[in-house]
Amino acid sequence: MIVHNNDIPSRKVDEYASRKILGTGGSLMMVEVSFKKGGVGEVHFHEEHEQTSYIVKGKFEVSVGGVKSILSAGDSFYAGLRVPHGVVALEDSIILDVFTPLRQDFLEAEVAE
């Protein structure tokens, strides 16, 4: 699979965030999420998905397993099964999330639009 970012439509998540599914296959999925300053990825956990995330641009306050940290471009985090995690965009920012297994709910949302 080869993907050109500019060819992927952005799906609005809420007034502060939008996402693009950049790659999916087998048991992996890669998703780019763009946040406006003040955007929040509420603290949540996954019963079935592991997630690793890389800060592409900007700055986030990140919470993983109850530990908070400020992450900037080039930083990353991992949230295993049932580990609470969330982010707050401290400026306009982009995060790259990778999930295993892939997020079927994200794929279904794409088809529903």
Side-chain angles (χ1 to χ4, degrees), residues 92-103:
D92 290 352
S93 301
I94 299 173
I95 191 168
L96 188 67
D97 294 329
V98 178
F99 299 97
T100 187
L102 57 85
R103 296 284 305 266

Side-chain angles (χ1 to χ4, degrees), residues 29-104:
M29 173 179 271
M30 183 169 58
V31 180
E32 178 187 87
V33 187
S34 297
F35 285 89
K36 294 179 185 172
K37 181 179 179 178
V40 176
E42 295 289 342
V43 174
H44 64 287
F45 63 90
H46 306 282
E47 287 288 339
E48 301 176 2
H49 302 96
E50 293 177 84
Q51 175 180 342
T52 189
S53 298
Y54 175 81
I55 312 307
V56 175
K57 171 187 166 192
K59 189 179 294 187
F60 290 92
E61 179 184 75
V62 175
S63 175
V64 179
V67 176
K68 289 187 178 183
S69 185
I70 304 298
L71 299 185
S72 300
D75 297 335
S76 60
F77 69 89
Y78 167 76
L81 296 175
R82 296 177 287 285
V83 174
H85 58 283
V87 300
V88 176
L90 302 177
E91 58 192 53
D92 290 352
S93 301
I94 299 173
I95 191 168
L96 188 67
D97 294 329
V98 178
F99 299 97
T100 187
L102 57 85
R103 296 284 305 266
Q104 194 64 39

